[in-house]
Short mmCIF file of all heavy atoms in Angstrom, two decimals:
data_model
loop_
_atom_site.label_atom_id
_atom_site.label_comp_id
_atom_site.label_asym_id
_atom_site.label_seq_id
_atom_site.Cartn_x
_atom_site.Cartn_y
_atom_site.Cartn_z
N ALA A 1 -73.10 -12.65 -13.60
CA ALA A 1 -71.67 -13.00 -13.60
C ALA A 1 -71.24 -13.52 -12.20
O ALA A 1 -70.51 -14.43 -12.08
CB ALA A 1 -70.84 -11.82 -14.00
N ALA A 2 -71.74 -12.81 -11.18
CA ALA A 2 -71.39 -13.19 -9.79
C ALA A 2 -71.96 -14.63 -9.51
O ALA A 2 -71.31 -15.40 -8.82
CB ALA A 2 -71.92 -12.19 -8.82
N LEU A 3 -73.16 -14.87 -9.94
CA LEU A 3 -73.76 -16.19 -9.69
C LEU A 3 -73.04 -17.33 -10.47
O LEU A 3 -72.84 -18.40 -9.95
CB LEU A 3 -75.25 -16.14 -10.06
CG LEU A 3 -76.11 -15.20 -9.22
CD1 LEU A 3 -77.55 -15.21 -9.72
CD2 LEU A 3 -76.06 -15.56 -7.74
N GLU A 4 -72.64 -16.99 -11.70
CA GLU A 4 -71.92 -17.98 -12.49
C GLU A 4 -70.56 -18.28 -11.88
O GLU A 4 -70.08 -19.41 -11.91
CB GLU A 4 -71.75 -17.50 -13.94
CG GLU A 4 -73.05 -17.48 -14.71
CD GLU A 4 -72.95 -16.69 -16.02
OE1 GLU A 4 -71.79 -16.26 -16.36
OE2 GLU A 4 -73.96 -16.50 -16.69
N ALA A 5 -69.96 -17.26 -11.25
CA ALA A 5 -68.60 -17.48 -10.66
C ALA A 5 -68.69 -18.42 -9.48
O ALA A 5 -67.60 -18.95 -9.04
CB ALA A 5 -68.04 -16.10 -10.24
N LEU A 6 -69.83 -18.65 -8.90
CA LEU A 6 -69.94 -19.55 -7.76
C LEU A 6 -69.46 -20.97 -8.09
O LEU A 6 -69.20 -21.78 -7.19
CB LEU A 6 -71.42 -19.60 -7.23
CG LEU A 6 -71.89 -18.32 -6.59
CD1 LEU A 6 -73.38 -18.43 -6.26
CD2 LEU A 6 -71.09 -18.04 -5.30
N SER A 7 -69.40 -21.27 -9.38
CA SER A 7 -68.94 -22.61 -9.80
C SER A 7 -67.48 -22.84 -9.36
O SER A 7 -67.05 -23.99 -9.29
CB SER A 7 -69.07 -22.76 -11.31
OG SER A 7 -68.30 -21.79 -11.97
N ARG A 8 -66.78 -21.75 -9.07
CA ARG A 8 -65.37 -21.91 -8.62
C ARG A 8 -65.31 -22.60 -7.26
O ARG A 8 -64.28 -23.16 -6.89
CB ARG A 8 -64.69 -20.55 -8.56
CG ARG A 8 -64.45 -19.90 -9.93
CD ARG A 8 -63.83 -18.54 -9.82
NE ARG A 8 -62.55 -18.53 -9.08
CZ ARG A 8 -61.94 -17.44 -8.69
NH1 ARG A 8 -62.48 -16.26 -8.93
NH2 ARG A 8 -60.79 -17.49 -8.04
N PHE A 9 -66.39 -22.57 -6.53
CA PHE A 9 -66.40 -23.27 -5.23
C PHE A 9 -66.54 -24.78 -5.41
O PHE A 9 -66.26 -25.55 -4.49
CB PHE A 9 -67.58 -22.77 -4.36
CG PHE A 9 -67.37 -21.37 -3.80
CD1 PHE A 9 -68.47 -20.53 -3.61
CD2 PHE A 9 -66.13 -20.94 -3.41
CE1 PHE A 9 -68.30 -19.27 -3.07
CE2 PHE A 9 -65.94 -19.65 -2.88
CZ PHE A 9 -67.04 -18.81 -2.74
N ASP A 10 -67.04 -25.19 -6.58
CA ASP A 10 -67.30 -26.59 -6.83
C ASP A 10 -66.02 -27.29 -7.31
O ASP A 10 -65.84 -27.52 -8.51
CB ASP A 10 -68.41 -26.75 -7.88
CG ASP A 10 -68.85 -28.19 -8.07
OD1 ASP A 10 -68.49 -29.04 -7.23
OD2 ASP A 10 -69.55 -28.47 -9.08
N GLU A 11 -65.15 -27.57 -6.35
CA GLU A 11 -63.85 -28.17 -6.67
C GLU A 11 -63.63 -29.41 -5.82
O GLU A 11 -64.30 -29.57 -4.78
CB GLU A 11 -62.72 -27.17 -6.44
CG GLU A 11 -62.67 -26.67 -4.98
CD GLU A 11 -61.59 -25.65 -4.74
OE1 GLU A 11 -60.77 -25.43 -5.63
OE2 GLU A 11 -61.56 -25.07 -3.64
N PRO A 12 -62.72 -30.29 -6.20
CA PRO A 12 -62.49 -31.49 -5.40
C PRO A 12 -61.87 -31.05 -4.02
O PRO A 12 -61.20 -30.03 -3.91
CB PRO A 12 -61.47 -32.28 -6.19
CG PRO A 12 -61.54 -31.71 -7.58
CD PRO A 12 -61.95 -30.30 -7.44
N LEU A 13 -62.10 -31.87 -2.99
CA LEU A 13 -61.51 -31.61 -1.72
C LEU A 13 -59.99 -31.73 -1.85
O LEU A 13 -59.45 -32.73 -2.33
CB LEU A 13 -62.02 -32.67 -0.67
CG LEU A 13 -61.34 -32.61 0.71
CD1 LEU A 13 -61.76 -31.34 1.43
CD2 LEU A 13 -61.76 -33.81 1.51
N PRO A 14 -59.23 -30.70 -1.39
CA PRO A 14 -57.76 -30.79 -1.51
C PRO A 14 -57.24 -31.97 -0.70
O PRO A 14 -57.68 -32.32 0.37
CB PRO A 14 -57.29 -29.46 -0.88
CG PRO A 14 -58.49 -28.55 -1.02
CD PRO A 14 -59.71 -29.43 -0.82
N ASP A 15 -56.18 -32.62 -1.28
CA ASP A 15 -55.54 -33.72 -0.59
C ASP A 15 -54.62 -33.22 0.53
O ASP A 15 -54.36 -33.93 1.50
CB ASP A 15 -54.73 -34.56 -1.57
CG ASP A 15 -55.64 -35.31 -2.55
OD1 ASP A 15 -56.73 -35.75 -2.10
OD2 ASP A 15 -55.25 -35.45 -3.73
N ALA A 16 -54.11 -32.01 0.36
CA ALA A 16 -53.12 -31.46 1.33
C ALA A 16 -53.68 -30.13 1.84
O ALA A 16 -54.57 -29.54 1.26
CB ALA A 16 -51.78 -31.26 0.65
N PRO A 17 -53.09 -29.62 2.93
CA PRO A 17 -53.49 -28.30 3.43
C PRO A 17 -53.32 -27.21 2.40
O PRO A 17 -52.45 -27.26 1.52
CB PRO A 17 -52.53 -28.07 4.62
CG PRO A 17 -52.17 -29.43 5.06
CD PRO A 17 -52.06 -30.22 3.81
N THR A 18 -54.18 -26.20 2.48
CA THR A 18 -54.16 -25.01 1.57
C THR A 18 -53.83 -23.79 2.35
O THR A 18 -54.21 -23.61 3.52
CB THR A 18 -55.55 -24.87 0.88
OG1 THR A 18 -55.89 -26.08 0.24
CG2 THR A 18 -55.50 -23.74 -0.14
N ASP A 19 -53.13 -22.86 1.74
CA ASP A 19 -52.78 -21.59 2.42
C ASP A 19 -54.05 -20.85 2.85
O ASP A 19 -54.93 -20.60 2.03
CB ASP A 19 -52.01 -20.72 1.38
CG ASP A 19 -51.61 -19.40 1.98
OD1 ASP A 19 -51.83 -19.14 3.19
OD2 ASP A 19 -51.10 -18.54 1.23
N PRO A 20 -54.19 -20.60 4.14
CA PRO A 20 -55.42 -19.90 4.63
C PRO A 20 -55.67 -18.60 3.94
O PRO A 20 -56.85 -18.21 3.69
CB PRO A 20 -55.12 -19.70 6.14
CG PRO A 20 -54.13 -20.76 6.48
CD PRO A 20 -53.31 -20.93 5.25
N ALA A 21 -54.60 -17.84 3.58
CA ALA A 21 -54.81 -16.54 2.93
C ALA A 21 -55.40 -16.75 1.57
O ALA A 21 -56.24 -15.92 1.10
CB ALA A 21 -53.46 -15.83 2.81
N GLU A 22 -55.00 -17.83 0.88
CA GLU A 22 -55.58 -18.14 -0.42
C GLU A 22 -57.04 -18.49 -0.28
O GLU A 22 -57.91 -18.10 -1.12
CB GLU A 22 -54.80 -19.25 -1.10
CG GLU A 22 -55.33 -19.66 -2.47
CD GLU A 22 -54.68 -20.95 -2.96
OE1 GLU A 22 -53.53 -21.20 -2.54
OE2 GLU A 22 -55.33 -21.66 -3.74
N THR A 23 -57.35 -19.25 0.72
CA THR A 23 -58.75 -19.64 0.96
C THR A 23 -59.62 -18.45 1.26
O THR A 23 -60.74 -18.29 0.72
CB THR A 23 -58.83 -20.63 2.16
OG1 THR A 23 -58.09 -21.81 1.84
CG2 THR A 23 -60.26 -20.98 2.49
N LEU A 24 -59.13 -17.51 2.10
CA LEU A 24 -59.87 -16.29 2.40
C LEU A 24 -60.04 -15.43 1.13
O LEU A 24 -61.15 -14.88 0.94
CB LEU A 24 -59.12 -15.48 3.46
CG LEU A 24 -59.79 -14.18 3.88
CD1 LEU A 24 -61.12 -14.47 4.56
CD2 LEU A 24 -58.89 -13.38 4.84
N ALA A 25 -59.03 -15.35 0.31
CA ALA A 25 -59.12 -14.54 -0.91
C ALA A 25 -60.20 -15.10 -1.84
O ALA A 25 -61.02 -14.35 -2.39
CB ALA A 25 -57.77 -14.47 -1.62
N LEU A 26 -60.21 -16.41 -1.96
CA LEU A 26 -61.27 -17.02 -2.80
C LEU A 26 -62.68 -16.80 -2.24
O LEU A 26 -63.62 -16.46 -2.99
CB LEU A 26 -61.02 -18.55 -2.93
CG LEU A 26 -62.05 -19.34 -3.73
CD1 LEU A 26 -62.04 -18.89 -5.19
CD2 LEU A 26 -61.79 -20.85 -3.62
N LEU A 27 -62.76 -16.91 -0.94
CA LEU A 27 -64.10 -16.67 -0.28
C LEU A 27 -64.56 -15.27 -0.54
O LEU A 27 -65.76 -15.04 -0.89
CB LEU A 27 -63.92 -16.86 1.21
CG LEU A 27 -65.19 -16.74 2.05
CD1 LEU A 27 -66.22 -17.77 1.69
CD2 LEU A 27 -64.83 -16.86 3.57
N ASP A 28 -63.68 -14.28 -0.46
CA ASP A 28 -64.06 -12.91 -0.69
C ASP A 28 -64.32 -12.60 -2.14
O ASP A 28 -65.37 -12.02 -2.53
CB ASP A 28 -62.98 -11.98 -0.14
CG ASP A 28 -63.28 -10.50 -0.36
OD1 ASP A 28 -64.49 -10.15 -0.33
OD2 ASP A 28 -62.34 -9.71 -0.48
N GLU A 29 -63.41 -13.04 -3.01
CA GLU A 29 -63.50 -12.67 -4.46
C GLU A 29 -64.72 -13.31 -5.12
O GLU A 29 -65.30 -12.74 -6.05
CB GLU A 29 -62.24 -13.07 -5.14
CG GLU A 29 -60.99 -12.22 -4.72
CD GLU A 29 -59.69 -12.86 -5.04
OE1 GLU A 29 -59.67 -13.86 -5.84
OE2 GLU A 29 -58.66 -12.36 -4.58
N VAL A 30 -65.10 -14.50 -4.64
CA VAL A 30 -66.24 -15.19 -5.28
C VAL A 30 -67.50 -15.04 -4.42
O VAL A 30 -68.57 -14.79 -4.95
CB VAL A 30 -65.91 -16.71 -5.51
CG1 VAL A 30 -67.15 -17.42 -6.07
CG2 VAL A 30 -64.73 -16.85 -6.45
N GLY A 31 -67.36 -15.15 -3.12
CA GLY A 31 -68.49 -15.12 -2.26
C GLY A 31 -69.10 -13.74 -2.07
O GLY A 31 -70.32 -13.59 -2.10
N SER A 32 -68.27 -12.71 -1.90
CA SER A 32 -68.82 -11.36 -1.60
C SER A 32 -69.68 -10.82 -2.73
O SER A 32 -70.77 -10.28 -2.46
CB SER A 32 -67.67 -10.39 -1.31
OG SER A 32 -67.02 -10.76 -0.09
N PRO A 33 -69.28 -10.94 -4.01
CA PRO A 33 -70.19 -10.44 -5.02
C PRO A 33 -71.50 -11.21 -5.20
O PRO A 33 -72.46 -10.68 -5.77
CB PRO A 33 -69.33 -10.57 -6.34
CG PRO A 33 -67.91 -10.66 -5.86
CD PRO A 33 -68.01 -11.37 -4.54
N ALA A 34 -71.53 -12.42 -4.68
CA ALA A 34 -72.74 -13.24 -4.80
C ALA A 34 -73.69 -13.09 -3.64
O ALA A 34 -74.69 -13.82 -3.55
CB ALA A 34 -72.34 -14.70 -4.95
N THR A 35 -73.43 -12.14 -2.75
CA THR A 35 -74.35 -11.95 -1.62
C THR A 35 -75.49 -11.04 -2.06
O THR A 35 -75.41 -10.23 -3.00
CB THR A 35 -73.61 -11.25 -0.45
OG1 THR A 35 -73.08 -9.97 -0.90
CG2 THR A 35 -72.49 -12.13 0.07
N VAL A 36 -76.59 -11.15 -1.31
CA VAL A 36 -77.70 -10.21 -1.39
C VAL A 36 -77.45 -9.15 -0.36
O VAL A 36 -77.18 -9.46 0.81
CB VAL A 36 -79.05 -10.91 -1.17
CG1 VAL A 36 -80.21 -9.92 -1.23
CG2 VAL A 36 -79.27 -12.00 -2.16
N ALA A 37 -77.52 -7.87 -0.78
CA ALA A 37 -77.16 -6.78 0.15
C ALA A 37 -78.23 -6.51 1.17
O ALA A 37 -78.75 -5.36 1.30
CB ALA A 37 -76.84 -5.54 -0.68
N THR A 38 -78.57 -7.50 1.96
CA THR A 38 -79.59 -7.33 2.97
C THR A 38 -79.14 -6.44 4.10
O THR A 38 -79.99 -5.85 4.82
CB THR A 38 -79.99 -8.69 3.58
OG1 THR A 38 -78.82 -9.36 4.02
CG2 THR A 38 -80.71 -9.57 2.57
N THR A 39 -77.87 -6.26 4.29
CA THR A 39 -77.35 -5.40 5.37
C THR A 39 -77.23 -3.95 4.98
O THR A 39 -76.85 -3.13 5.75
CB THR A 39 -76.03 -5.95 5.95
OG1 THR A 39 -75.81 -5.40 7.23
CG2 THR A 39 -74.88 -5.60 5.01
N GLY A 40 -77.60 -3.68 3.71
CA GLY A 40 -77.56 -2.27 3.21
C GLY A 40 -78.87 -1.57 3.46
O GLY A 40 -79.77 -2.09 4.14
N GLY A 41 -79.05 -0.43 2.84
CA GLY A 41 -80.23 0.40 3.15
C GLY A 41 -81.35 0.25 2.15
O GLY A 41 -82.40 0.93 2.31
N ARG A 42 -81.25 -0.64 1.11
CA ARG A 42 -82.28 -0.65 0.09
C ARG A 42 -82.79 -2.05 -0.15
O ARG A 42 -83.25 -2.37 -1.24
CB ARG A 42 -81.69 -0.03 -1.21
CG ARG A 42 -81.49 1.46 -1.09
CD ARG A 42 -80.82 2.01 -2.38
NE ARG A 42 -79.36 1.78 -2.37
CZ ARG A 42 -78.74 0.93 -3.14
NH1 ARG A 42 -79.46 0.20 -4.02
NH2 ARG A 42 -77.44 0.77 -3.11
N TYR A 43 -82.73 -2.89 0.87
CA TYR A 43 -83.32 -4.20 0.77
C TYR A 43 -84.64 -4.21 1.52
O TYR A 43 -84.70 -3.95 2.76
CB TYR A 43 -82.43 -5.30 1.33
CG TYR A 43 -83.05 -6.69 1.23
CD1 TYR A 43 -82.92 -7.43 0.08
CD2 TYR A 43 -83.80 -7.19 2.28
CE1 TYR A 43 -83.55 -8.64 -0.07
CE2 TYR A 43 -84.40 -8.44 2.18
CZ TYR A 43 -84.28 -9.14 1.01
OH TYR A 43 -84.93 -10.38 0.86
N PHE A 44 -85.75 -4.50 0.80
CA PHE A 44 -87.07 -4.44 1.43
C PHE A 44 -87.89 -5.71 1.13
O PHE A 44 -89.09 -5.72 1.19
CB PHE A 44 -87.87 -3.24 0.89
CG PHE A 44 -87.10 -1.92 0.95
CD1 PHE A 44 -86.71 -1.30 -0.22
CD2 PHE A 44 -86.78 -1.39 2.17
CE1 PHE A 44 -85.97 -0.09 -0.15
CE2 PHE A 44 -86.07 -0.18 2.24
CZ PHE A 44 -85.65 0.47 1.08
#
């Protein structure tokens, strides 16, 4: 599900400026679940 959600990043370049808070929220909500937890204790 996290990998499929990455398609949300595939959008047209905005014509006008976007709210930075909205950009950060999208980055976290879609990007964070799609990470590999290499910085945790069980990645080998």
Side-chain angles (χ1 to χ4, degrees):
L3 296 177
E4 289 167 7
L6 290 173
S7 61
R8 290 177 59 190
F9 288 146
D10 186 14
E11 59 181 352
L13 174 68
D15 291 325
T18 305
D19 180 6
E22 179 189 332
T23 298
L24 179 65
L26 177 65
L27 182 63
D28 179 30
E29 291 163 10
V30 177
S32 292
T35 60
V36 177
T38 54
T39 199
R42 290 175 282 107
Y43 181 84
F44 310 113

